[in-house]
Amino acid sequence: MSSSPLERLQRRFVRSVTFAADADLIAAVTGGGRLSAAEAIGVYRDAYPARLTEALGETYEACWRVLGDEEFFAAARDFIARAPSRSYNMSDYGEGFPEFLESRPHAEDAPFIGDLARLEWAFLRLFHTRAHEGLEPAALAAAAGSESILRLGAACVLLSLKHSVYGIWKRDRADDTPLEPTEWDGAQRLVLYKRGTNQIFARELSVPEHAALTALAQGRPLGAALDTAGLDEDGARELFAFAADARLIVAVVGG
Amino acid sequence: MKTAPGVRAGMTGVGLRSVHYPDLLGRPSTAVDWFEAISENYMDSEGRPLEVLLKIREDYPVALHGVSLSVGGVEGPRSDYLRRLRRLADRVDPFLVSDHLCFTGAHASNVHDLLPLPYTEEAIVTVARNVAIAQDALGRRLALENVSSYLSYRESVMTEWEFLIAVARRADCRILLDVNNAYVSARNHGFAAEDYIDAVPAELVAQIHLGGYSDMGTFLFDTHSRAPTPPVWELYRRAVRRLPDAPTLIEWDADIPEWAGLEAQAVQARAIRREEHELKPA
Ligand SMILES: [Fe+2]
């Protein structure tokens, strides 16, 4: 299919911004002010990585803090060079950045960086999720039996990470004492949630607690979820009380 | 929805920015009449940003201003984008929905910038087709804003303002006249900004933008990182003489001042309009 002049021009412009200035585009334009044609195209080309770096910096603020300007900007530059933005919304940019950060050489100094980035991405998603209306504890207790299916609200995210990053994420921005390996040592399981309003809460979960909530999220009945997770009676009671207080459950089906 | 104070002729507003949420949530009395919200910051969020916008809407008229319609893009507007924008507009009930007369890249590679179009018949046809799709999906008329540019195309066959006017007429949409952008483009491309401002028919103008550029030495850059400069204020004065009713908006997107500093710009814009229309002896 032959393309129109406008199609060709737009394709050349995008290529010039995201890759390298196209000779045909340079020939087709006049620079504004005292800029040459190539310099004028350069204004748009320079703005592109700057804008996407800013978007990454907003989403992955804690990673930026940990890595420092030089390494974060270098990582952003390399990521942007290989990952075009496919969303109309720039704040959606950066899916896949956690895995990308993990694959870079600095991962030896900060082996937790991918998990920290995953936590930040999950936080952003939750930030934009509507706060659900969870069942009141009394209503939940009255309705739930061991055969019931408990529906988790939308504003609730379960995370299972290989490193303990929640403390690093929460760290005071002004605190620039170096991180110690003990701070990220060991796996960490978290639930992030909203409790009726747009405020976001987090709670660390034990291995069985995480397994039980994951089973509930998958639609397993309450009794089966608690059993497969291997929670003892006290543990099950504590988790249930937390889920009720945090208004995690929006509906009880059957049972 | 409670009915907010209505749209008034010649009202003055500012861009709603998240740094000012804490100032505004206490419902202070302000000197601004209305707010403009960046559509993309709210259309994909069911969280705090939307909550704040809907609160603001209880007290003020609101316009939605997008940056991602890519109305000049050859691929046409994305249907997911239009669906989300429609949903937001239905919730917010804005007095105006606007975007820019430009393209922003390709669907598979969005460069998130306001890239200039060549001033050609093909571009007019493309924009008119896309505006029809968008206005149909939104159930509203759009306003398109003139953008600042740093290059011009050799193939252009008309001036920037002839292009802007032709698009508005052909597409049956309105114009968001950015006085700062007209000034930046005039300086960068060597034409008289006054000719631009004088040429735009008043009946097509739905709104006016005012913002600040940065002088990079070799060209003017539309950074929205400072207050409008004196020549832009003068150009604004010239514009409001002919456009007494168009709402005015102060845009500030980088190095954003504290609330009072932004408010002061709105006060200045209002003073200029008053000088031109209320205080002048007949
Ligand atoms: Fe503008």
Side-chain angles (χ1 to χ4, degrees), chain B residues 8 17 32 38 87 98 159 177 183 192 198 225 236 252 279:
Chain B
R8 284 188 295 105
R17 301 294 178 261
V32 311
I38 301 295
R87 191 169 138 79
S98 62
T159 63
L177 182 61
Y183 181 78
D198 294 350
S225 61
Y236 174 67
W252 206 315
L279 306 176

Side-chain angles (χ1 to χ4, degrees), chain B residues 40-146:
Chain B
E40 290 77 6
N41 292 349
Y42 303 91
M43 61 197 275
D44 293 324
S45 182
E46 299 284 338
R48 181 166 148 84
L50 183 67
E51 180 191 341
V52 173
L53 178 60
L54 293 175
K55 275 221 176 83
I56 296 278
R57 181 69 186 92
E58 289 174 12
D59 298 329
Y60 297 92
V62 165
L64 294 177
H65 184 53
V67 294
S68 301
L69 178 61
S70 197
V71 79
V74 289
E75 294 164 296
R78 293 169 56 135
S79 52
D80 54 345
Y81 178 79
L82 292 174
R83 245 191 336 268
R84 292 284 194 148
L85 182 56
R86 169 76 190 240
R87 191 169 138 79
L88 178 68
D90 286 349
R91 284 165 144 181
V92 172
D93 188 24
F95 69 87
L96 188 70
V97 177
S98 62
D99 205 296
H100 300 82
L101 181 53
C102 68
F103 74 109
T104 66
H107 290 182
S109 184
N110 191 345
V111 305
H112 303 284
D113 203 347
L114 309 174
L115 308 177
L117 294 164
Y119 309 140
T120 61
E121 174 63 20
E122 188 192 4
I124 294 171
V125 169
T126 302
V127 174
R129 182 199 67 203
N130 292 341
V131 168
I133 294 168
Q135 291 189 151
D136 191 45
L138 299 172
R140 289 170 171 78
R141 245 174 126 201
L142 281 173
L144 294 182
E145 172 179 353
N146 58 300

